[in-house]
Amino acid sequence: MQRKAMARRQGINGGSQSEPLNVLTLARNLGLILAWYILSTTLGLYNKKLVGKDGLFGKGAFPAPLFMSSAQFLIQALLAKAVFYSRVVERTARNPMSWREYIHTIGPNGVTTGLDVGLSNLSLAYITMSFYTMCKSTVPIFLLLFAFIWRTERPSWALSGVVLIISIGLALLVMGETAFNGTGFVLVMVASCLSGFRFTLTQVFLQGHQEAGALGGPLEMLELLTPVMCVTTLLISVASERLHMVLPTSPYFSSVEHALITLGIISL
């Protein structure tokens, strides 16, 4: 009887101790999600202002959105390496990755992520920020589809209902958009599809999947992905944006001083 009473007391105490942990975990996750939404929206507004019709300081639209994305990826890569070299954050993955493993594992995710962000920035040159935001809200649809393919999620009627509601909302949005632009719509929808794919891959890399273990923490993933993202968007930029022609004639690069200011603006 005494043992049973002690077990009941331990169970009660254990339950009371686990509840604060669950609340803290929920609060932390909600905080991270809120921070992601705020930073993502702020970055989207900033990029829209830069590549929009008026641009910054009345200089007009930035002439090379993909080049801008590649420069931002380069800054992220350097910052991630600086954090690890300064030992502000310690690495969790101890085993170095071979070049073959890096290309095979990180390459597809890096290319996909680079295209996602690059095409998203490029679409802002054609569509409004509100229309862009609503189109990007379809990312959960593609995320669930790829999660089903990767078997990180199981199909259910509840998830099917979520996909259906988002799809109907997108159809109504497109029908009601007065300043509809086909090019911008295709770009942002392709970016949304790639976003769902790369979020699924990132989840697999961070949490592991089946027999494969996790590759490291979020900053380690950023350090691994950003070089591939930078090279991907830079190659597409060189091939499509005619940098040798548009940059020298752009007011953003009309002098050394303006070029340095522009690079500083892009780095933000």
Side-chain angles (χ1 to χ4, degrees), residues 110-172:
V111 172
T112 303
T113 306
L115 290 175
D116 169 24
V117 179
L119 294 180
S120 296
N121 288 340
L122 186 59
S123 70
L124 290 172
Y126 300 95
I127 58 178
T128 62
M129 185 63 194
S130 58
F131 187 64
Y132 166 86
T133 303
M134 294 303 296
C135 289
K136 290 291 283 187
S137 67
T138 61
V139 170
I141 296 179
F142 300 106
L143 179 59
L144 286 174
L145 291 177
F146 288 115
F148 294 156
I149 295 174
W150 242 265
R151 297 181 180 179
T152 58
E153 295 284 348
R154 292 183 178 181
S156 66
W157 287 110
L159 293 178
S160 300
V162 171
V163 170
L164 179 62
I165 292 174
I166 296 177
S167 301
I168 294 174
L170 177 63
L172 295 175

XYZ file of all heavy atoms in Angstrom, residues 110-172:
483
model
N 20.373 22.842 -51.457
C 20.922 24.168 -51.670
C 20.420 24.798 -52.958
O 20.056 25.979 -52.990
N 20.387 24.009 -54.039
C 19.873 24.513 -55.319
C 18.402 24.899 -55.192
O 17.963 25.957 -55.657
C 20.072 23.463 -56.429
C 19.368 23.893 -57.708
C 21.561 23.249 -56.698
N 17.620 24.026 -54.544
C 16.188 24.288 -54.376
C 15.952 25.540 -53.541
O 15.110 26.380 -53.884
C 15.507 23.082 -53.695
O 15.737 21.915 -54.480
C 14.014 23.317 -53.576
N 16.691 25.679 -52.448
C 16.525 26.849 -51.579
C 16.947 28.127 -52.299
O 16.281 29.168 -52.181
C 17.347 26.679 -50.295
O 16.994 25.448 -49.667
C 17.085 27.818 -49.329
N 18.042 28.064 -53.042
C 18.481 29.231 -53.801
C 17.453 29.663 -54.831
O 17.156 30.852 -54.979
N 16.877 28.689 -55.543
C 15.851 29.005 -56.538
C 14.594 29.551 -55.876
O 13.951 30.465 -56.403
C 15.518 27.756 -57.349
C 16.606 27.266 -58.315
C 16.183 25.959 -58.967
C 16.886 28.319 -59.384
N 14.251 28.989 -54.729
C 13.063 29.461 -54.010
C 13.190 30.940 -53.668
O 12.332 31.756 -54.023
C 12.877 28.616 -52.742
C 11.829 29.192 -51.799
O 10.938 29.926 -52.264
O 11.909 28.899 -50.589
N 14.260 31.311 -52.991
C 14.441 32.700 -52.572
C 14.671 33.605 -53.784
O 14.131 34.721 -53.855
C 15.608 32.814 -51.580
C 15.822 34.257 -51.154
C 15.347 31.940 -50.357
N 15.463 33.132 -54.744
C 15.746 33.950 -55.926
C 14.505 34.243 -56.743
O 14.251 35.394 -57.136
N 13.692 33.222 -57.007
C 12.461 33.425 -57.775
C 11.444 34.241 -56.994
O 10.674 35.010 -57.582
C 11.863 32.072 -58.165
C 12.683 31.224 -59.137
C 11.981 29.906 -59.432
C 12.960 31.986 -60.429
N 11.444 34.088 -55.666
C 10.546 34.908 -54.842
C 10.893 36.376 -54.983
O 10.005 37.233 -55.176
C 10.637 34.477 -53.376
O 10.177 33.152 -53.201
N 12.174 36.706 -54.889
C 12.597 38.105 -55.053
C 12.318 38.605 -56.464
O 11.914 39.757 -56.654
C 14.084 38.239 -54.735
C 14.375 38.095 -53.254
O 13.501 38.260 -52.418
N 15.618 37.774 -52.926
N 12.518 37.744 -57.450
C 12.271 38.142 -58.833
C 10.789 38.403 -59.075
O 10.422 39.322 -59.824
C 12.776 37.053 -59.783
C 12.724 37.362 -61.284
C 13.556 38.595 -61.610
C 13.224 36.158 -62.093
N 9.919 37.628 -58.445
C 8.477 37.816 -58.642
C 7.999 39.157 -58.104
O 7.000 39.712 -58.582
C 7.701 36.684 -57.966
O 7.780 36.773 -56.555
N 8.711 39.692 -57.097
C 8.311 40.980 -56.521
C 8.440 42.125 -57.511
O 7.863 43.193 -57.307
C 9.143 41.271 -55.276
C 8.860 40.394 -54.053
C 9.880 40.649 -52.960
C 7.458 40.635 -53.539
N 9.185 41.903 -58.576
C 9.303 42.929 -59.611
C 8.054 42.997 -60.484
O 7.886 43.950 -61.250
C 10.530 42.661 -60.485
N 7.158 42.004 -60.358
C 5.979 41.934 -61.230
C 4.653 42.027 -60.482
O 3.653 42.440 -61.073
C 5.985 40.610 -62.008
C 7.191 40.419 -62.890
C 8.303 39.709 -62.446
C 7.226 40.950 -64.183
C 9.412 39.531 -63.263
C 8.329 40.775 -64.999
C 9.422 40.066 -64.526
O 10.524 39.885 -65.329
N 4.605 41.638 -59.215
C 3.335 41.577 -58.489
C 3.417 42.407 -57.214
O 4.502 42.787 -56.778
C 2.962 40.123 -58.125
C 4.056 39.466 -57.288
C 2.696 39.314 -59.384
C 3.751 38.046 -56.852
N 2.246 42.677 -56.637
C 2.192 43.456 -55.409
C 2.602 42.594 -54.214
O 2.554 41.365 -54.264
C 0.773 44.001 -55.170
O -0.140 42.891 -55.018
C 0.322 44.860 -56.342
N 2.969 43.265 -53.128
C 3.399 42.546 -51.929
C 2.251 41.759 -51.317
O 2.441 40.645 -50.823
C 3.958 43.548 -50.916
C 4.551 42.901 -49.670
S 5.977 41.857 -50.073
C 6.149 40.945 -48.548
N 1.039 42.306 -51.345
C -0.112 41.601 -50.781
C -0.417 40.335 -51.575
O -0.684 39.270 -50.992
C -1.334 42.524 -50.753
O -1.648 42.986 -52.064
N -0.375 40.428 -52.904
C -0.623 39.251 -53.742
C 0.488 38.218 -53.557
O 0.232 37.005 -53.502
C -0.713 39.684 -55.207
C -1.139 38.583 -56.136
C -2.389 38.016 -56.034
C -0.280 38.112 -57.124
C -2.793 36.993 -56.891
C -0.666 37.101 -57.979
C -1.925 36.539 -57.864
N 1.714 38.688 -53.431
C 2.851 37.796 -53.181
C 2.666 37.031 -51.873
O 2.872 35.814 -51.813
C 4.135 38.627 -53.141
C 5.337 37.927 -52.570
C 6.163 37.139 -53.357
C 5.660 38.057 -51.209
C 7.272 36.499 -52.817
C 6.765 37.423 -50.668
C 7.560 36.645 -51.477
O 8.653 36.005 -50.935
N 2.271 37.747 -50.819
C 2.104 37.118 -49.505
C 1.018 36.052 -49.537
O 1.181 34.960 -48.970
C 1.758 38.183 -48.444
O 2.789 39.178 -48.427
C 1.644 37.562 -47.067
N -0.090 36.346 -50.203
C -1.176 35.371 -50.266
C -0.773 34.145 -51.090
O -1.120 33.013 -50.743
C -2.424 36.022 -50.860
C -3.027 37.109 -49.990
S -3.463 36.508 -48.339
C -4.731 35.310 -48.744
N -0.036 34.358 -52.163
C 0.421 33.222 -52.968
C 1.403 32.357 -52.187
O 1.363 31.119 -52.279
C 1.069 33.710 -54.270
S -0.089 34.393 -55.474
N 2.257 32.981 -51.405
C 3.218 32.217 -50.607
C 2.551 31.444 -49.475
O 3.151 30.537 -48.898
C 4.286 33.148 -50.031
C 5.252 33.709 -51.057
C 6.178 32.637 -51.625
C 7.284 32.294 -50.668
N 8.292 31.375 -51.277
N 1.294 31.815 -49.159
C 0.572 31.071 -48.131
C 0.194 29.672 -48.598
O -0.294 28.865 -47.798
C -0.692 31.835 -47.706
O -1.634 31.896 -48.760
N 0.426 29.371 -49.872
C 0.165 28.019 -50.386
C 1.320 27.070 -50.094
O 1.223 25.882 -50.423
C -0.075 28.057 -51.907
O 1.105 28.572 -52.557
C -1.258 28.931 -52.248
N 2.386 27.565 -49.485
C 3.536 26.703 -49.174
C 3.122 25.468 -48.370
O 3.625 24.362 -48.635
C 4.628 27.506 -48.435
C 5.707 26.584 -47.892
C 5.250 28.531 -49.371
N 2.210 25.581 -47.372
C 1.805 24.367 -46.639
C 1.248 23.258 -47.522
O 1.404 22.075 -47.196
C 0.742 24.884 -45.658
C 1.103 26.319 -45.434
C 1.635 26.788 -46.750
N 0.599 23.622 -48.640
C 0.084 22.591 -49.550
C 1.230 21.753 -50.102
O 1.219 20.514 -50.030
C -0.706 23.242 -50.709
C -1.938 23.963 -50.180
C -1.100 22.187 -51.740
C -2.740 24.651 -51.256
N 2.222 22.432 -50.653
C 3.362 21.715 -51.230
C 4.182 21.028 -50.135
O 4.722 19.933 -50.357
C 4.239 22.693 -52.013
C 3.526 23.365 -53.148
C 3.141 24.690 -53.058
C 3.221 22.672 -54.308
C 2.477 25.316 -54.106
C 2.562 23.286 -55.362
C 2.189 24.607 -55.254
N 4.260 21.658 -48.972
C 4.979 21.054 -47.856
C 4.347 19.723 -47.460
O 5.043 18.723 -47.253
C 4.992 22.009 -46.670
C 5.694 21.537 -45.392
C 7.150 21.226 -45.671
C 5.570 22.586 -44.303
N 3.020 19.689 -47.392
C 2.329 18.452 -47.031
C 2.494 17.393 -48.121
O 2.684 16.208 -47.829
C 0.844 18.735 -46.795
C 0.506 19.454 -45.484
C -0.973 19.807 -45.440
C 0.878 18.587 -44.293
N 2.431 17.815 -49.378
C 2.582 16.852 -50.469
C 3.951 16.177 -50.427
O 4.057 14.948 -50.543
C 2.371 17.554 -51.816
C 0.949 18.036 -52.114
C 0.906 18.779 -53.449
C -0.025 16.872 -52.139
N 4.989 16.975 -50.244
C 6.338 16.396 -50.178
C 6.540 15.621 -48.875
O 7.301 14.643 -48.853
C 7.389 17.498 -50.314
C 7.496 18.062 -51.697
C 7.171 19.384 -51.963
C 7.919 17.270 -52.754
C 7.261 19.906 -53.247
C 8.017 17.775 -54.046
C 7.683 19.091 -54.286
N 5.882 16.068 -47.797
C 5.970 15.317 -46.544
C 5.320 13.941 -46.697
O 5.795 12.948 -46.129
C 5.294 16.096 -45.415
N 4.229 13.862 -47.469
C 3.601 12.569 -47.726
C 4.531 11.676 -48.557
O 4.658 10.478 -48.298
C 2.281 12.749 -48.471
C 1.227 13.464 -47.667
C 0.190 14.136 -48.300
C 1.276 13.464 -46.283
C -0.781 14.786 -47.569
C 0.305 14.121 -45.533
C -0.724 14.790 -46.180
N 5.194 12.287 -49.558
C 6.111 11.525 -50.401
C 7.284 11.007 -49.583
O 7.699 9.848 -49.731
C 6.603 12.401 -51.575
C 5.421 12.760 -52.493
C 7.689 11.681 -52.369
C 5.779 13.736 -53.592
N 7.807 11.848 -48.691
C 8.949 11.468 -47.859
C 8.522 10.640 -46.643
O 9.356 10.171 -45.896
C 9.705 12.709 -47.389
C 11.120 12.758 -47.879
C 12.238 12.342 -47.213
C 11.583 13.245 -49.141
N 13.353 12.553 -47.985
C 12.989 13.112 -49.166
C 10.947 13.798 -50.253
C 13.754 13.497 -50.261
C 11.700 14.184 -51.324
C 13.090 14.029 -51.324
N 7.223 10.551 -46.444
C 6.649 9.803 -45.321
C 7.030 10.370 -43.964
O 7.166 9.641 -42.980
C 7.040 8.322 -45.395
C 6.511 7.618 -46.639
C 6.901 6.159 -46.655
N 6.394 5.502 -47.864
C 6.599 4.223 -48.168
N 7.327 3.466 -47.341
N 6.113 3.702 -49.272
N 7.214 11.700 -43.930
C 7.393 12.352 -42.639
C 6.045 12.740 -42.036
O 5.987 13.091 -40.852
C 8.260 13.612 -42.785
O 7.649 14.522 -43.720
C 9.651 13.253 -43.285
N 4.993 12.722 -42.833
C 3.627 12.947 -42.373
C 2.726 11.875 -42.976
O 3.003 11.365 -44.063
C 3.119 14.335 -42.777
C 3.840 15.494 -42.132
C 3.442 15.702 -40.688
O 2.435 15.084 -40.255
O 4.122 16.465 -39.998
N 1.643 11.561 -42.268
C 0.676 10.598 -42.769
C -0.567 11.325 -43.258
O -1.058 12.224 -42.575
C 0.296 9.594 -41.677
C 1.434 8.662 -41.274
C 0.960 7.647 -40.255
N 2.028 6.714 -39.905
C 1.882 5.704 -39.038
N 0.705 5.516 -38.431
N 2.900 4.902 -38.780
N -1.076 10.968 -44.436
C -2.295 11.628 -44.945
C -3.461 11.434 -43.978
O -3.602 10.399 -43.341
C -2.542 10.915 -46.273
C -1.233 10.304 -46.650
C -0.551 9.957 -45.367
N -4.300 12.450 -43.877
C -5.495 12.379 -43.040
C -6.553 13.300 -43.626
O -6.257 14.182 -44.439
C -5.178 12.777 -41.592
O -4.802 14.138 -41.521
N -7.794 13.090 -43.200
C -8.879 13.936 -43.689
C -8.697 15.377 -43.217
O -9.046 16.322 -43.934
C -10.219 13.389 -43.219
C -10.644 12.139 -43.923
C -10.718 10.883 -43.410
C -11.039 12.036 -45.299
N -11.129 9.977 -44.371
C -11.338 10.662 -45.548
C -11.172 12.949 -46.343
C -11.764 10.204 -46.791
C -11.590 12.486 -47.589
C -11.875 11.138 -47.807
N -8.163 15.568 -42.020
C -7.945 16.920 -41.500
C -6.941 17.682 -42.373
O -7.168 18.838 -42.746
C -7.458 16.860 -40.055
N -5.828 17.026 -42.713
C -4.830 17.671 -43.567
C -5.372 17.906 -44.962
O -5.083 18.933 -45.590
C -3.570 16.805 -43.622
C -2.783 16.667 -42.315
C -1.598 15.740 -42.507
C -2.313 18.026 -41.819
N -6.172 16.975 -45.468
C -6.792 17.157 -46.778
C -7.726 18.362 -46.772
O -7.799 19.125 -47.743
C -7.569 15.895 -47.169
O -6.707 14.774 -47.224
N -8.445 18.564 -45.647
C -9.313 19.735 -45.531
C -8.529 21.031 -45.539
O -8.942 22.020 -46.154
N -7.375 21.030 -44.878
C -6.513 22.228 -44.870
C -6.052 22.562 -46.285
O -6.098 23.715 -46.724
C -5.304 22.007 -43.942
C -4.294 23.133 -44.095
C -5.753 21.895 -42.495
N -5.611 21.539 -47.028
C -5.151 21.750 -48.398
C -6.290 22.284 -49.265
O -6.102 23.193 -50.079
C -4.597 20.433 -48.978
C -4.344 20.573 -50.472
C -3.321 20.028 -48.256
N -7.496 21.718 -49.099
C -8.640 22.146 -49.896
C -8.996 23.601 -49.617
O -9.249 24.382 -50.549
C -9.842 21.241 -49.603
C -11.140 21.579 -50.347
C -10.934 21.457 -51.856
C -12.277 20.685 -49.871
N -9.000 23.997 -48.349
C -9.351 25.376 -47.986
C -8.336 26.364 -48.550
O -8.696 27.413 -49.106
C -9.452 25.506 -46.453
C -10.660 24.722 -45.936
C -9.559 26.966 -46.045
C -10.740 24.670 -44.431
N -7.053 26.041 -48.442
C -6.018 26.929 -48.977
C -6.135 27.035 -50.493
O -5.983 28.118 -51.075
C -4.621 26.432 -48.562
C -4.456 26.497 -47.044
C -3.528 27.266 -49.233
C -3.141 25.950 -46.545
N -6.431 25.922 -51.162
C -6.559 25.922 -52.618
C -7.734 26.786 -53.062
O -7.629 27.558 -54.028
C -6.728 24.492 -53.130
O -5.627 23.682 -52.773
N -8.861 26.669 -52.373
C -10.022 27.492 -52.705
C -9.704 28.969 -52.477
O -10.055 29.834 -53.295
C -11.245 27.060 -51.868
C -11.674 25.647 -52.263
C -12.403 28.032 -52.057
C -12.784 25.081 -51.403
N -9.035 29.270 -51.363
C -8.654 30.653 -51.088
C -7.746 31.229 -52.164
O -7.893 32.385 -52.563
N -6.786 30.412 -52.664
C -5.895 30.874 -53.732
C -6.674 31.150 -55.015
O -6.432 32.152 -55.698
C -4.803 29.839 -53.990
C -3.842 30.153 -55.135
C -3.050 31.416 -54.838
C -2.898 28.988 -55.400
N -7.623 30.271 -55.351
C -8.425 30.469 -56.564
C -9.233 31.759 -56.475
O -9.299 32.533 -57.446
C -9.353 29.268 -56.766
N -9.843 32.024 -55.325
C -10.598 33.262 -55.147
C -9.686 34.475 -55.206
O -10.062 35.524 -55.749
C -11.339 33.220 -53.807
C -12.443 32.156 -53.679
C -13.003 32.146 -52.268
C -13.550 32.411 -54.693
